[in-house]
Amino acid sequence: MIDKINLDQLAIEVENEVQSRYRDIEKISFVNHQKVLTAFKKAKVSDFHLKGGSGYGYGDAGRKALEEIYAHVFGGERALVRGQIVSGTHAIALCLFGVLQPGDELLAVQGAPYDTLEEAIGIRGDAHGSLKNYGITYRQVDLLPNGQIDWQGIDKALNEKTKMVLIQRSRGYAWRQSLDIKGMEQLIKFIKKRQSGAVTFVDNCYGELVEDKEPCDVGADLIAGSLIKNPGGGVAPTGGYVVGQANLVEMAANRWTAPGIGDEVGPTLDHQRLLMQGIFLAPHVVAEALKGAIFTSRLFERLGFKVSPDYDEQRTDIIQAVALGDAGKLVQFCRGLQGASPVDAHVRPEPDGMPGYDDAVVMAAGTFVQGASIELSADGPLREPYAVYMQGGLSKEYVKLGVLAAAEEVLKTV
Ligand SMILES: *Cc1c(COP(=O)(O)O)cnc(C)c1O
C-alpha cells in the first residue's frame, strides 16, 4: 500500500516523467496566444471597448470588437459572443433551432449527443418546442464497438433531408476517444463529398484552444460552446459563443433575439472587460488545465488505475477520465478534490440523482464562478467502471494539490 510519504515521492517522479509533455502543451499555448494577440490588434481594442453598455445595447463597439476577436481566433467569418447566452446547451440550441426547419433532418454521427441536448432534440421526453415537436427529424449513427467512426453507417444515413450534421469534439462524460482536429477534417470532407448542402456543426465544448487549429479551420460551417469552459479563461462570469459562416451565425442570432433584430442588440452590462480578459488568458489557462490532466493521468496510471487518455496521448479536450473501479473510491476521490478547493472546501460531496442520468452521480467543484468547469471540477456516475471525469484548473499547481488530496483519500479505501 502507498502511504502519504510514498505518494509525495511518486508525485516527484511523475512530475519528471511528464516534463516533455508539458513542453508540447506550451508550444500549442504559444501559437494560440499569438493568434489571440493578433486578433486583439486587428480589432484595435482600446480602453473604451472594455466598458459595458445598458438597455438595448445598440451599437456597442466593445461587443463588436469581442466578436471580431472570436471570429479570428476560431477561424470563422462571424461570431456571436454574449453574456446572455446562458450555457453551452443554449449556444448549441441556438444553432440547431436557428438553422433547421420543419421537414429537415439532423444527423448525429458519433452516437448519442451530450445529455443536455436530448430533450432539445426530442430524443427524450416530449417537450413543447423541441426539434421533434417542430417536425424536424433526428437520425443517429453510433460509433463502432471499437470506438471508431462508422463510415459506412454515415454514408447510408446521409440523405437529401439531412440539413445539419452534429459533430462532437470532446468525449463528454463517456469512456471513449475525443475527435481530434485531424479526424474531424477527415469526417467533414467525407460528409461534404456526399451531401454538400448539409451544414457541418461542431459542439466545440471543452475543445477550445487545446490544439493549434479549430474546427472552422478544417471546414466546419458552424461551432458553439460555453464561456465558463475553455474560452472564458476562468475569468468570464457567464456566456456562450457561436462562430462560423456569416449567414449561419445570423440564423443563430435571429433565434437568440428575434428575426429582424438578430445580433444588433444585447447590453454588455458589467461583463465586457471580463469576456475580453477571458479570451486573452484562455490559451494559458487551457494549458494549465491540460498540464494538470497529464499529471493526473500519469499519477493514477502509476497507482494502478486505468486512465483515458494516457499521459503521452495527443489531446483535443481538457477531460481526464480515471476508472476507479468501485463506488467507494469514486466518492472518496471527489471528497478529496473538494476538500482542496478554494471555495466550499468544507462541503462534503454525496452521490445523488440527477435529471437525465439513470445512476446517482457524485461531483466535486469548489469554483469561483458557479458551475465553471474550466475551474477544477470532477464528476462521475455510480456505475461501471466507476470512472471519474475531471477537468479544468486555473493553475497546474492547484490541480496537483487537488489531485494529490484526491489520491490520498482514494488510497485510504484500499
Ligand atoms: C458542457 C458540454 C455541453 C453543454 O454545456 P452546458 O454549459 O453544460 O450547457 C455540451 N456538449 C459538451 C461536449 C459539453 O462538454
Side-chain angles (χ1 to χ4, degrees), residues 258-284:
I261 298 175
D263 66 356
E264 299 289 318
V265 297
T268 44
L269 307 172
D270 57 2
H271 57 244
Q272 177 60 17
R273 179 174 58 80
L274 298 173
L275 300 198
M276 284 276 195
Q277 237 174 333
I279 186 67
F280 177 72
L281 284 173
H284 179 69

Side-chain angles (χ1 to χ4, degrees), residues 163-411:
K163 179 66 179 293
M164 201 172 198
V165 178
L166 173 61
I167 299 168
Q168 186 177 308
R169 180 169 178 182
S170 145
R171 68 190 54 229
Y173 297 116
W175 193 275
R176 64 171 169 97
Q177 281 200 322
S178 313
L179 182 64
D180 67 11
I181 294 292
K182 219 170 120 211
M184 198 178 292
E185 182 168 24
Q186 241 186 326
L187 181 57
I188 290 170
K189 277 201 180 124
F190 183 85
I191 293 160
K192 289 285 178 189
K193 214 162 148 190
R194 280 154 184 81
Q195 203 66 38
S196 60
V199 171
T200 48
F201 169 61
V202 178
D203 170 355
N204 206 29
C205 282
Y206 283 139
E208 297 93 350
L209 304 165
V210 173
E211 296 194 58
D212 60 5
K213 279 188 187 164
E214 293 293 328
C216 293
D217 296 325
V218 296
D221 298 316
L222 194 64
I223 64 171
S226 161
L227 299 194
I228 63 170
K229 293 181 179 173
N230 307 14
V235 178
T238 183
Y241 75 90
V242 173
V243 174
Q245 283 176 16
N247 63 322
L248 299 174
V249 174
E250 192 177 334
M251 290 176 196
N254 280 346
R255 174 72 193 197
W256 176 60
T257 55
I261 298 175
D263 66 356
E264 299 289 318
V265 297
T268 44
L269 307 172
D270 57 2
H271 57 244
Q272 177 60 17
R273 179 174 58 80
L274 298 173
L275 300 198
M276 284 276 195
Q277 237 174 333
I279 186 67
F280 177 72
L281 284 173
H284 179 69
V285 172
V286 168
E288 293 294 290
L290 285 169
K291 287 177 182 176
I294 287 165
F295 175 84
T296 306
S297 179
R298 185 57 177 162
L299 182 80
F300 275 83
E301 190 186 347
R302 291 281 307 266
L303 288 172
F305 295 94
K306 247 186 103 173
V307 295
S308 175
D310 288 339
Y311 81 102
D312 54 358
E313 244 176 272
Q314 212 216 304
R315 287 167 191 253
T316 196
D317 67 26
I318 62 169
I319 299 177
Q320 179 63 49
V322 179
L324 292 163
D326 76 61
K329 288 193 179 71
L330 175 54
V331 172
Q332 284 306 103
F333 182 100
C334 290
R335 287 184 180 155
L337 198 74
Q338 184 77 36
S341 301
V343 180
D344 285 336
H346 53 283
V347 171
R348 188 178 145 95
E350 294 288 349
D352 201 2
M354 277 264 292
Y357 288 88
D358 291 337
D359 306 277
V361 176
V362 61
M363 38 180 77
T367 58
F368 292 96
V369 171
Q370 188 197 93
S373 42
I374 186 61
E375 297 185 52
L376 185 60
S377 48
D379 4 9
L382 269 73
R383 61 163 181 254
E384 289 288 342
Y386 297 96
V388 69
Y389 296 89
M390 192 197 91
Q391 63 275 315
L394 299 178
S395 77
K396 73 172 194 303
E397 290 80 9
Y398 164 47
V399 180
K400 194 170 158 183
L401 289 165
V403 163
L404 286 171
E408 211 180 314
E409 289 306 311
V410 168
L411 293 172

Side-chain angles (χ1 to χ4, degrees), residues 2-4 14 36 83 92 98 107 117 174 219 267 269 330 350 365 372 392 395 402:
I2 297 195
D3 58 21
K4 172 86 174 76
V14 167
V36 168
I92 292 164
L107 175 68
L117 299 175
L269 307 172
L330 175 54
E350 294 288 349
S395 77

